[in-house]
């Protein structure tokens, strides 16, 4: 197993079924509680553990998840309200060096809970037409909202598995 991808690399589905969307939304709905259950009682030493050499530590992973998911939420909202908007990327590794990554994890866990409550409510109520709306990355590649749901469900599970790896070391 490649410990960089404990659940495997993300493969963007071309064909998406309604049952897949419902499964991914459920994973997104439960991510905040699963992440909180795993991390809320960790001491400072455990928050500094990493899942592999030169990787982010548990604290950084938690703060990264909310940064990424805030961006994902905004990308989907833009796709729902604009015609194929070009979305901004960001330097994740640079964000992880910013001072707010030193905050207690409860700040990001609370934000993740609120964000996912709003985000999954929105996703559960999208029409088939809305699920087909797209956004575009600066490199020109496009992603449909239904594919983006798959991406962010995978992303949360991916980093949850990293945290589990770090804590098991």
């Amino acid at each position: 197993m490649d410990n960089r991808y404990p659940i495997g690399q993300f493969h963007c589905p071309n064909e998406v079924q309604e049952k897949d969307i419902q499964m991914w939304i459920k994973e997104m709905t439960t991510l905040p509680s699963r992440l909180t259950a795993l991390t809320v009682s960790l001491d400072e030493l455990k928050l500094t553990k990493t899942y592999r050499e030169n990787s982010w530590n548990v604290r950084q992973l938690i703060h990264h998840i909310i940064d990424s998911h805030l961006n994902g939420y905004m990308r989907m909202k833009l796709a729902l309200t604009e015609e194929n908007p070009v979305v901004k990327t960001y330097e994740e590794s640079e964000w992880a060096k910013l001072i707010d990554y030193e905050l207690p994890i409860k700040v990001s866990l609370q934000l993740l809970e609120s964000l996912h409550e709003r985000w999954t409510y929105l996703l559960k109520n999208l029409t088939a037409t809305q699920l087909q709306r797209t956004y575009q990355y600066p490199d020109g590649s496009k992603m449909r909202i239904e594919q983006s749901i798959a991406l962010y469900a995978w992303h949360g599970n991916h980093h949850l598995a990293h945290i589990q790896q770090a804590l098991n070391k």
Side-chain angles (χ1 to χ4, degrees), residues 84-103:
N84 192 41
V86 176
V87 296
K88 180 139 180 36
T89 59
Y90 65 104
E91 297 297 328
E92 297 171 352
S93 59
E94 294 301 312
W95 283 38
K97 296 175 187 173
L98 295 173
I99 192 75
D100 61 334
Y101 272 55
E102 295 177 12
L103 281 167

Side-chain angles (χ1 to χ4, degrees), residues 23-150:
M23 178 188 67
W24 297 325
I25 292 173
K26 183 174 181 171
E27 289 174 2
M28 291 175 68
T29 300
T30 63
L31 176 65
S33 61
R34 290 183 289 139
L35 186 59
T36 297
L38 183 61
T39 63
V40 73
S41 64
L42 297 180
D43 60 28
E44 284 301 310
L45 182 61
K46 288 185 179 166
L47 290 171
T48 64
K49 292 183 88 171
T50 60
Y51 61 95
R52 66 180 173 88
E53 190 175 334
N54 298 319
S55 72
W56 288 337
N57 63 37
V58 171
R59 174 183 279 108
Q60 289 170 311
L61 285 163
I62 293 167
H63 292 312
H64 162 74
I65 292 168
I66 188 59
D67 282 347
S68 174
H69 289 207
L70 284 165
N71 275 281
Y73 176 67
M74 294 308 297
R75 289 171 177 171
M76 288 188 199
K77 297 264 294 203
L78 288 168
L80 289 167
T81 59
E82 299 176 19
E83 195 60 41
N84 192 41
V86 176
V87 296
K88 180 139 180 36
T89 59
Y90 65 104
E91 297 297 328
E92 297 171 352
S93 59
E94 294 301 312
W95 283 38
K97 296 175 187 173
L98 295 173
I99 192 75
D100 61 334
Y101 272 55
E102 295 177 12
L103 281 167
I105 62 169
K106 72 175 184 160
V107 174
S108 285
L109 293 172
Q110 290 168 342
L111 186 53
L112 190 71
E113 178 74 35
S114 295
L115 172 65
H116 276 242
E117 184 174 351
R118 258 188 93 164
W119 197 2
T120 58
Y121 180 82
L122 174 69
L123 296 176
K124 288 174 187 175
N125 289 286
L126 294 179
T127 65
T129 301
Q130 288 173 315
L131 288 165
Q132 297 303 308
R133 292 189 62 90
T134 60
Y135 58 84
Q136 181 175 303
Y137 291 103
D139 68 5
S141 61
K142 291 183 182 181
M143 183 168 279
R144 296 187 311 269
I145 288 178
E146 65 184 6
Q147 294 170 314
S148 193
I149 296 169

